[in-house]
Structures are given as structure tokens and as C-alpha cells.
Amino acid sequence: MATRRNFMLTAGALAVAAALPLASFAQDVTKIGFVYVSPIGDAGWTFQHDLARTQLEAEFGDRIQTSFVENVAEGADAERVIREFAASGHKIVFATSFGYMNYVERVARQFPDVAFLHATGYKSGANFANYNARFYEGRYLNGVIAGHMTKSNVMGYVAAFPIPEVLQGINAFTMGARSVNPDVEVRVIWVNSWYDPGREREAAMTLISQGADVITQHTDSTAPVQAAEERGVYAFGYHSDMSKYGPTAHLSATTHLWGDYYVQTVKDVLAGEWKPTNLWGGYQQGMIQLAPLNDAIPAEVKAQVAELESQLTAGTFHPFTGPVVDQSGAERLPAGAVMDDETLGKMDYFVQGVASRLPSR
Amino acid sequence: MDGNLITAILFATVVAGTPLIIVALGLLVNERAGVLNLGSEGMMAMGAVVAFAVTHHTGNPWLGALAGMAAGMSASLIFGVLTLTLQANQVASGLALAIFGVGLSAFIGKPYESVALQSVPAVRIPFIADIPIIGEALYNQQAMVYLSWALFWTVLWFLYRSRAGLVLRAVGESPASAHAIGHPVVLIRYLAVLFGGAMAGLGGAFLSVFYTPMWVEGMVAGRGWIALALVVFATWRPLRVMIGAYLFGGVMITQLFIQGSGLQIDFPAQFLSSLPYWATIIVLVVISRNANTIRLNSPASLGKPYRPEA
């Protein structure tokens, strides 16, 4: 049923998009289109991209005009929306979800003058760039804080799907926690959904009643943070600062900021200097940031986090620095070595310290 | 497994099963009158958003629950007018209501997405809540849970012990006969549809006000469809609906506990997640496998429009 409604929304948006060329006469205005996979809401993946869109508007004012279509399903609808943006004179199109990749690729070939940017994918082309963020950097820092704050030494992780990006997060969190507290174990519950508040809450509650006193999540709703607040344990948000859903529980959150990257991209396009890139940005590019730290975190822990942050920003520290040992005890990366991006992108194991078994595939 | 863990699992099972019981019992009465309303997902979403909004503005979750019921009822009234008065196709109208309700709730709920509610405290029943293991799990719950049990007994009594229930079932079996002996078939069907809508709204209210306390688009997450399926697989019998709902909740919670326990098991997580669905279906199909009782219990005129001859 959701798809039908999405279709209606999309159809409505297309009607508007089709009418736009008549309305906008001024030639200096560069039109920029955004395709969002979910409603903007008040926190979450799409909310962060929309923050970046408003940053663009603030930066460039009248020189650009942004428009967006939210809740676009990762299917044929996406291609229609992307093509309509390109056909109606948009010069830059940001497609902000993994599942748009093949549609972006197809449309990009038909509109060589339009710059296409696709988030979290791996394909690119002559006018088709992709970008992603190193979420695991923030996760590692969350883990460091968690390792200091836990009393039970059990932590709970509410996770969506066992794909490399999620595994990087779980492993980075675990390694961060164990870097300061080697007795920690992390338990993972897969809810097999990016977004199901009821089930995410149940998973968090389950972990808490099994002794976890720090909860974190790789799902999109605020339900795990709220559950932690209710049961008086700590939690980390994801995507956005979720502290207002759990003022006491919320220690921090891994957030992603796309604004600076978007601003740079638009600058380059306006100057006619844009070249498609494959950017996987982290602290160094300002794409990852922690939400403000809870006052319950002791000053020396805050200082340690600040130190790690500056090392991440300077590029002198990588969370996946060897030794990386998986659950079976096998060494995946020798001591002192730094994991390269290709290996990171293929991660398919849990590190030592994760108590749950990775679901077999 | 220690006692605390069993208590925790039982507790969570009861909570997870509650919205399904409320909604499914409403649908059961609805369908026993011969009307098939597939719009439960939409009615739940409407109930959830309206209940959340009213609770947020008044601070009273019970007013919220009432408003949720009213919202579910108004949605079902649309369905009633379409199918009972205008004789539209019930399946198509129900599906339309499901889509419409989910969409409208997203629209209404936009301003409430960032709002958090206080969680409603549990009501501890003195003495019996002190029973080891089950006391804490069953009798230290939110009042809505007790309400769902009261609803179960009321529906059971109504359908099998009251005259009105007999008439309702007659309308679902053979509206023409019921009409012939002087019962107002359309009115009775309207009342059944409204009851189904009210319960779907209440189930939605439970989700947004008592369960997760939050409103977000799409939060009903398919529970309306599960409730519909439960009624069919339970062959329209209240006790089996209840068993099915708790079984579904229980298996879902247990698989979460297994995952969270850190036990080294070699099951794909996807398999575990699908477990509640097929476990419930298999059990209900097995306990309801007698073809005669199925025929006896399924409303013969389900989904068929009826126009009383003048």
C-alpha cells in the first residue's frame, strides 16, 4: 500500500516538476534536484540530507533553486523522478539512496550535461559521481565512550541487515569499546528492517533485560533511544542527534553531514570545473560528527574522544588498525597495518568481542 | 534459563500480542456479521495518529485512546457507507481504505513527528502480581492489556451467550433469512463495521500512546494485515485469535531473546524473523484443521453485499 501512495506523491511531484520550466525564466538560476527515499521527518537519514540542502540555499541564495521529492521508492518511480529532474532543466541531481544507483546510471548517460551525484553506491561515470561517509569512525568513538560508561560490560546493538556497512559499524563500535575496556561484549539483534519502531523497541528492550546497559542502533527510528530512556540505561543515536527522545539516556550519536560536500560540488559546477569523484569521506572531510556529548560522560573520557577526533581529522588514526581479529580468532589484519577501503567494503565477519554469531548466508 | 528471563519474555509477549488481539477481535465481530473490511491497516494508522495528537494536547492517554477509537470509527463509517449503503465491492473498498488511512495519517501526523510522550505507567494488581514468574509478567502491565482481556471475554459472551450475538451471526450466515424474520440487516452490519473500526483505532492508539509512545509515519508496520490474517487462520473463533496473537508475539520476542543472548546458533537472522509468521500459521491451521468446524464457524455470506428487498 505504501508504494501506491508513493506513486501518488511522485505523480504529484512530477506534475509540479513538469510545470516548473514555465515558471522559472531567469537563466542564472541553477536548479538542483534532490531525491529522498523517506519522508524528511525530524531525525534520520533523509533529514540529514535535507539539512545539507538548506545549507546550500543559505550559501548560494538566489543563484540556485532547490527542489526535492521525498518518499521515492527504490524502483521504477525513482527513475521517473530522476529523469524528470534532468529533463526539466535541473543541472545537478542528488540521489540519496543506495537503490537509486542503476537508475542514476541510466539517466546520466542520456543527460550528459547534468551532474548526477549518488549516495552510498559504487558506480560512477563521466557525469556521475558517488559519495558516502565513513560512519564507522563515529561508531568507534561511540564505542570508546560506551566502554567507559558500561557497568555490566554488556552492550546491545539493534541492527538492520548484515551488509558490510552495518558490520563495519558493529565491529568499529566493539573495537572502540574494547580499546578502553577489554571485558566488554556486544550483542547484536537483527530486526531485518531499516525502519520498524515497534520491533526496534522490542529488540532494545530484549537486550536491556538481558543485561545490556548501553544500547546503540543501526536502524532509522528513535525507538531504541526511547526504550533506553524508559529503562534507565544509556543509548547512542544514529543519523541525527536524538537527545530530545532520551535526554538522560542519549550519550551521543554518530551523525553525518553532507553540507560542505554539497556546497563544494555546487561551487565546482557553477564554475564549470566539476569532475565526478568517488568520495568516501569521514572526519577529514567533515562528513562525520558526534552529536553533543551527554554531561554524564566524565571529563577525561570527553578529552580522550576529543583527542581521537583530532587524530581522525588529521588522518593519523584509523579505527581499523591491526590487529583485527575475528570471532574465530583468525587474524584479519596484522598488527600496525591499516585496512584499505576495498577490504573494508567487503567486510563479512564479526570481530572478537561481539557475542552474537553472524547469521550465515 | 532463570526466572527473570522467563518473566521478561512473557511480559514482552503479552505486550506484543495486545494490539493484535484488540484489532483482530474487532475484525472478528465485523466479519461474523458478513462484512469483510480489509482496511484495518489504515484504520489503525488513523487511530494511532489521532490518539497521539489528542494525548499530546490533553496529556491524558485515555482521552487519546477514545479519540483513536473515534478516528477508527469514522474511517470505518466511510467504508460502511460505500459497501453497505452504496453496495460497493467490499474487497476493493477495504483496500482503498487501507491505502487512504495510511496516507492521511502521515499527512495529519506531520507536526507530531518530533514530539515525545511520557510513557504510561503500568498498573500493578495487588497480591496476584506477587506470584513468582508469571505475576510480574501478567499482572504488572499497562491497563490496556487488562482491557484487551476484558474485550476478549465480552466478545466471547456477546457472540455465544447473548441474543444480540446470535442475531449478528445470523446476519453473517444468511442475511436474507435474518431479514425475513425482521432483523435490520444493514443496521446490524453498520454497527459491526463501526465496532471493527473502533477496535482498530484502539489498537492503533495502543501502538502510538502506550507501546512505543511516539508517532512516525508507517509505524503500524503491517500489524493491521497480520490481525486480518489471524482472524482467518483462527477460523473466526475468539479463543484461537487470542492464542494466535500471543503465539505470534511470543515467537517474535523469543527469537529476539535468542539473538540477544549471544548464544552461538547457526540460523540466518532472516529465518528467525520469519519464524513468528509461519509458526502462527502452522499452529492455527493444525488446531483448526477440522473441515466441519471451519464450515460451521466461517460466516457463509462473508464479503457478499446484501440489499434488503423492499
Side-chain angles (χ1 to χ4, degrees):
Chain A
M1 30 36 309
T3 30
R4 181 75 63 90
R5 192 169 52 74
N6 289 346
F7 169 72
M8 298 302 285
L9 268 179
T10 313
L14 290 189
V16 174
L20 277 174
L22 296 172
S24 59
F25 245 64
Q27 285 310 304
D28 322 274
V29 177
T30 302
K31 294 204 289 177
I32 304 172
F34 289 82
V35 190
Y36 297 150
V37 71
S38 54
I40 295 169
D42 188 62
W45 176 256
T46 295
F47 179 76
Q48 296 299 114
H49 285 280
D50 201 59
L51 273 185
R53 184 186 63 82
T54 47
Q55 186 179 334
L56 278 183
E57 288 196 324
E59 180 86 18
F60 295 99
D62 294 344
R63 293 163 60 205
I64 62 163
Q65 181 196 333
T66 66
S67 37
F68 62 86
V69 181
E70 54 181 339
N71 226 350
V72 179
E74 295 178 327
D77 282 349
E79 181 169 344
R80 280 197 287 275
V81 175
I82 295 163
R83 174 168 290 119
E84 198 55 42
F85 270 141
S88 59
H90 290 71
K91 282 293 150 215
I92 309 172
V93 176
F94 290 97
T96 62
S97 188
F98 176 80
Y100 299 155
M101 182 165 66
N102 293 337
Y103 306 109
V104 175
E105 188 183 33
R106 204 174 313 162
V107 180
R109 272 196 234 116
Q110 294 161 2
F111 293 90
D113 299 334
V114 177
F116 291 90
L117 294 101
H118 174 242
T120 71
Y122 52 83
K123 290 186 179 171
S124 56
N127 57 331
F128 171 18
N130 71 55
Y131 60 102
N132 199 353
R134 297 179 186 268
F135 307 105
Y136 64 84
E137 293 185 350
R139 298 280 189 193
Y140 185 90
L141 301 178
N142 290 166
V144 169
I145 300 170
H148 283 294
M149 301 300 285
T150 182
K151 294 199 175 61
S152 66
N153 286 342
V154 178
M155 303 175 182
Y157 208 117
V158 180
F161 295 100
I163 59 169
E165 185 188 305
V166 178
L167 296 176
Q168 288 161 17
I170 296 170
N171 288 340
F173 181 81
T174 308
M175 289 172 70
R178 282 167 75 95
S179 72
V180 297
N181 181 352
D183 298 327
V184 160
E185 70 170 56
V186 176
R187 293 179 178 173
V188 182
I189 290 187
W190 301 99
V191 290
N192 281 295
S193 166
W194 290 112
Y195 187 78
D196 180 342
R199 207 180 295 176
E200 290 170 46
R201 176 189 165 85
E202 284 306 343
M205 286 294 192
T206 303
L207 289 161
I208 296 167
S209 40
Q210 289 177 312
D213 64 353
V214 181
I215 296 293
T216 185
Q217 64 185 85
H218 198 138
T219 49
D220 289 354
S221 93
T222 55
V225 173
Q226 279 175 279
E229 178 80 11
E230 236 177 273
R231 296 284 289 268
V233 302
Y234 290 124
F236 290 96
Y238 182 49
H239 295 313
S240 310
D241 184 347
M242 295 181 172
S243 55
K244 72 175 157 192
Y245 301 95
T248 329
H250 191 270
L251 289 174
S252 181
T254 298
T255 69
H256 35 94
L257 300 172
W258 310 98
D260 292 349
Y261 172 68
Y262 286 6
V263 167
Q264 190 56 46
T265 303
V266 173
K267 260 188 198 143
D268 291 349
V269 171
L270 291 179
E273 290 166 354
W274 181 75
K275 292 266 179 300
T277 52
N278 301 318
L279 177 67
W280 196 14
Y283 260 93
Q284 273 188 291
Q285 289 77 14
M287 275 193 182
I288 294 291
Q289 205 177 59
L290 289 191
L293 302 189
N294 192 311
D295 289 335
I297 302 171
E300 62 269 22
V301 178
K302 285 185 176 169
Q304 185 186 2
V305 170
E307 168 61 22
L308 284 169
E309 280 186 312
S310 62
Q311 287 178 13
L312 282 167
T313 312
T316 54
F317 171 69
H318 193 292
F320 288 100
T321 302
V324 175
V325 182
D326 74 13
Q327 269 183 323
S328 68
E331 193 178 71
R332 295 291 185 140
L333 190 71
V338 167
M339 199 173 284
D340 63 61
D341 288 356
E342 205 192 329
T343 319
L344 268 173
K346 288 184 183 145
M347 191 169 275
D348 60 352
Y349 54 86
F350 277 148
V351 297
Q352 238 168 20
V354 182
S356 312
R357 180 80 69 92
L358 188 63
S360 45
R361 278 166 295 169
Chain B
M1 218 195 265
D2 65 314
N4 282 339
L5 200 59
I6 299 176
T7 307
I9 293 179
L10 264 182
F11 183 91
T13 297
V14 171
V15 178
T18 298
L20 295 177
I21 290 175
I22 297 174
V23 178
L25 285 176
L27 292 171
L28 185 143
V29 170
N30 196 146
E31 292 179 18
R32 276 290 176 121
V35 187
L36 180 66
N37 185 353
L38 296 179
S40 52
E41 183 86 2
M43 298 190 294
M44 281 182 82
M46 288 296 295
V49 71
V50 171
F52 187 90
V54 169
T55 308
H56 171 62
H57 289 300
T58 63
N60 185 338
W62 296 105
L63 277 181
L66 280 178
M69 287 171 72
M73 274 170 102
S74 354
S76 68
L77 186 63
I78 304 175
F79 174 83
V81 171
L82 285 175
T83 59
L84 302 177
T85 304
L86 302 175
Q87 307 274 310
N89 181 299
Q90 293 181 8
V91 172
S93 310
L95 289 174
L97 179 61
I99 298 163
F100 170 73
V102 172
L104 184 64
S105 68
F107 176 70
I108 299 175
K110 207 86 215 164
Y112 299 101
E113 288 201 322
S114 57
V115 181
L117 284 185
Q118 289 292 322
S119 47
V120 182
V123 180
R124 196 184 159 86
I125 301 184
F127 306 117
I128 45 175
D130 296 328
I131 303 171
I133 300 180
I134 61 160
E136 202 56 35
L138 300 183
Y139 302 110
N140 191 17
Q141 291 275 12
Q142 288 180 343
M144 281 288 272
V145 170
Y146 310 133
L147 196 70
S148 74
W149 297 342
L151 177 69
F152 167 74
W153 289 111
T154 311
V155 167
L156 206 59
W157 172 83
F158 169 79
L159 281 180
Y160 297 109
R161 289 282 177 273
S162 79
R163 192 183 154 75
L166 190 66
V167 173
L168 179 103
R169 284 189 290 152
V171 166
E173 286 301 321
S174 171
S177 319
H179 176 70
I181 55 171
H183 293 299
V185 171
V186 171
L187 176 69
I188 291 168
R189 286 191 162 179
Y190 258 108
L191 292 176
V193 165
L194 286 177
F195 179 74
M199 290 306 111
L202 188 63
F206 177 79
L207 289 180
S208 68
V209 178
F210 296 85
Y211 187 42
T212 34
M214 65 195 277
W215 163 256
V216 276
E217 190 179 340
M219 68 174 297
V220 177
R223 287 181 182 80
W225 302 107
I226 296 169
L228 271 167
L230 266 181
V231 177
V232 176
F233 284 113
T235 56
W236 295 273
R237 297 175 74 169
L239 182 62
R240 288 178 188 178
V241 163
M242 188 111 155
I243 293 172
Y246 282 142
L247 191 70
F248 184 85
V251 178
M252 190 179 88
I253 298 299
T254 309
Q255 62 96 2
L256 291 179
F257 270 84
I258 292 173
Q259 287 197 49
S261 67
L263 275 178
Q264 302 293 309
I265 36 138
D266 256 327
F267 277 126
Q270 294 85 341
F271 169 80
L272 285 174
S273 296
S274 68
L275 205 60
Y277 297 89
W278 60 259
T280 309
I281 291 173
I282 289 177
V283 170
L284 287 178
V285 165
V286 168
I287 61 174
S288 316
R289 70 186 178 284
N290 187 330
N292 280 329
T293 45
I294 293 177
R295 218 184 46 235
L296 217 61
N297 284 300
S298 53
S301 70
L302 183 62
K304 295 181 192 139
Y306 176 71
R307 187 194 297 275
E309 283 141 48

